[in-house]
Amino acid sequence: MMNAWRETLLLNLDRTGSATRLPFDENWQHEAFRFVKNELNAAIAQAEVYAHSWSNSHTTGQDHNQIERSYNAIFINGSRGAGKTAFMINIEMMWRAKFKESKLCFLPLIDPTLIRDEEGFDSYLVAQVHYAVRSYHAARQQSRPSEIYLRALESLGESLAPTDGKTMGIGIDRILSYQVAQTWEWRFHNFLYQATLELNVTAFVFRIDDIDMSLGRAHGLLETLRRWLACPFSVPLVSGDINLYRQLAQQYFNEHSKHGIDSSYQEKLAENYLEKLFPTNLRTQFTSLSLLQPRLEIVQQNFSMGEGIPLDIYLGWMAELVYPFTNGEEGSKPSLLPDTARTLVQLVKMPARYLAQEPDAWRALANVRTSPTEIHYYEIAHCAKDFVETDDGMFHAALRDGWMKYCEAHRNWVGWRVTESEVMLAGFVINSQENDMRPLRRPLRELPIFNVGSQFSIPAEDEHYDFSAECMRQLHLLERGRASAYIESQKSLLAKELRTNIPYPALEYFVYMQFVSQATVEQTLTNIKAQSQGQNNSFRKAVLLLNLYTTHEFYGRSGTATRQLFFGKAFELLLDSILQDYISTNTRQVASHVRRILTTAPFHSTYSVFPTKSVDNDDSTQGSMAPISQDDAAPTDANPRAGLDLATNELHGVQNWLRSDIKRWQIEHAEILGRIRKRGALHLLYCVFNKTFNQLNALKAGSGLISEASAANTLSHAARRFQMIVINAVASFVKPNHLLVVQRNVASGAHIDLNPEKWDSDRSWHINVRSLEKNRLRDEAMQLVKALQAHPIFQLVEIDGDGLFPLGPRKKNATETNGVSEHAREQPDNSISPNLENPVASYLRDSLLTTRTRRPGIVRLMKALLAIPRWEVHALQIAHSHRAELELLRYKADKYEVPGSSTLGKIIARAFAQN
């Protein structure tokens, strides 16, 4: 018997509406029907006993003491759109399928919202019964119902007269009218009894759908049920949301409480009222869609039996269409299964008519194996890929339009923003093809899915994310307990709440000591150019590396503008070259486009989102924590090409080289890039955007990640960290479902090798990226990751050497060999004893890193330095090569009031004065 309730359920795409008469296998709530069937059988038995009693006791007179009140209303509980109306319509058909000779008369479905205000609900119930009797006799060509029935109807009409608002007269007439009214209950029972005799049934089923939708009259309707249908000859079948009924009852008792009844007691009264009207043992709950999903199949009349598509396969196919290239990690592919049947039908029908026109695509989905293995998911993805790649564009356009409306209706703002951006991006492509002389658009700056600033005008009453709070949390991490004019100026920009309707990562901010000084830029580029011996590749790479990962385009209050470390330009250029076709675009426009990315404020940074705001940058220029010497001064008339100017002026000569490299890269990987653009990759890239910037912000804020005194403290190492983070982010979202994904930060150690082939020691990188090379099922993931690893921006870092452009103030004694900083090597100084210099340098380089900002460690370090004989003299002599470390030590010692901090400050001041 139980197997009968586990058979396949069908969702027929040919049905024009949900509230129609459906075959048994298209009615999904079999458990609810079984419950209702059992309760209706119990009601029949009760009505038969009552009919026998009524026939014996009330034939000759009105014995009011024998009237029975039976609160036997069956309640169908379900949320809005759960399919209650369809169930109520089809309950009669399902009943008759089980019982050929029915003892029940199912009256037409009653929708209280369709009853006019001047019509009484009680009169409407009586009219339904009378209409059933008339229709029964008309079908059998009988002239009229029996006289007994008509007298019962007339008698009931007299008792309804006062209720209907007719004149009750005065004096004895009013008293008589009340006497008539007092007999209405007996007359109604008698009327129903006579009607059952006319129709040869035992009881009437009153199907009442969604009383809770008639909010202004809801309680009055419930009262009619309580007073009129508490009769064994009537079986009310009521649908609705019990929680909404509960609120309506509580509201009624609250509004009509004249004696200040306590709110808790009002809730109790409301609950008791509903328990009387809808006994808990007569309530049934619809089975949720999540439990029905394994049994549901999608069918169409155009296809033969056995070609139904299981619902989980169909929804998986749709998910591949709207969330392509993602595997569900970190919410990248949300479940499409909605909460209600109505929403499910609307969702499934969205692409149905296009799929019906492709018999091969339909049969491919119908034949997908349903076991939860990689083959299962791979076949679904393969079906979606084939369907889109053979589309002429009409299906994809219609799907985007329908999906965008669906997301807006169901408040899926990420899906809505992604689809809106896909439509805009398609418009960019069309405009570019029509006129190749137009400048290329900048998708990451213009598309709403990436442009956080486009959403700041969202009203406060709308559902939103507090973006300003997210940014403030990041600033608190960057602050790390020290005063900073830069951070304070950034906080002032967040004084007003900034709201977005989708989550974004915090903006990228400048971090203390993470900059390249002007003197370092000039000396590094000059040395590389002098030693390149006519080969410009190294010089080109250095210039591009510097312009890609640093910025100096901002309004600041300090006298100098150093190149600050930012990753936004690299991220924008990487995604831009994925989304836009440089091959078929005018070469001059591409070159100009690349230059704009390299020379404007970094994407998703404080400088790009607040471009007109001025900020203090004392941490990077003239502040006490990172003083800039005369060697790091801004360019002057006497030296116009110093520092920043040298890198900026050289950029014009090397941008074409980068543009050509990206074009070659697009040609080499045209297959995977073409698939991405055709199927739509904005959802994947949005996920990558969030994950990448969250990890970059953690990297920049974390102590030791880009450490002030680390040997891996160069711009080259920072670029490699960015490469590892962004490729790991992509791999973690595109890996096949059966492969393990490690959700952990990468590139977070104090050291990172410049050679990517040696990154396997990072567990997350090894599992997330390297394992793709062994996967042969979903080659798209491997192709995409390999294409990204070969991107020109990741070829700018040489795998040999110590890296270019040390971060922080320039170390004067560092040697530059082939443009590679070797700041770990010190120039020999015969005036300093090696036995004394080495301990000092060791403490400055190693101990300071491990102590961080904890007072006990700083105290121990200062005591150790003080114990070195003549340490003041030696500290003064090595101040030129360890200037940043000494300054950081002095700042921390001063902060924690450690003895010797003032002396150290004087030493540093004297050393700088002699510089």
Side-chain angles (χ1 to χ4, degrees), residues 36 75 111 250 327 368 378 408 622 624 661 674 749 888 890:
V36 172
F75 188 77
D111 185 348
Q250 291 176 6
N327 55 14
V368 170
Y378 174 73
E408 183 178 17
Q622 58 194 8
S624 61
D661 267 15
L888 180 60
R890 184 212 60 79

Side-chain angles (χ1 to χ4, degrees), residues 515-516 520-521 523-525 527-529 531 537-546 549-550 565 711-719 754 795-807 816-823:
F515 67 93
V516 179
T520 299
V521 171
Q523 183 170 349
T524 303
L525 292 181
N527 290 344
I528 294 175
K529 199 167 188 179
Q531 299 174 19
N537 281 352
S538 296
F539 182 77
R540 290 170 179 170
K541 289 181 179 181
V543 172
L544 289 172
L545 179 72
L546 186 67
Y549 290 97
T550 65
L565 174 64
N713 186 27
T714 71
L715 194 63
S716 299
H717 290 88
L754 293 179
Q795 314 310 313
L796 301 178
V797 177
E798 302 289 350
I799 62 175
D800 300 323
D802 292 339
L804 296 177
F805 305 111
L807 299 178
E816 303 287 341
T817 303
N818 293 328
V820 177
S821 171
E822 300 180 8
H823 47 280

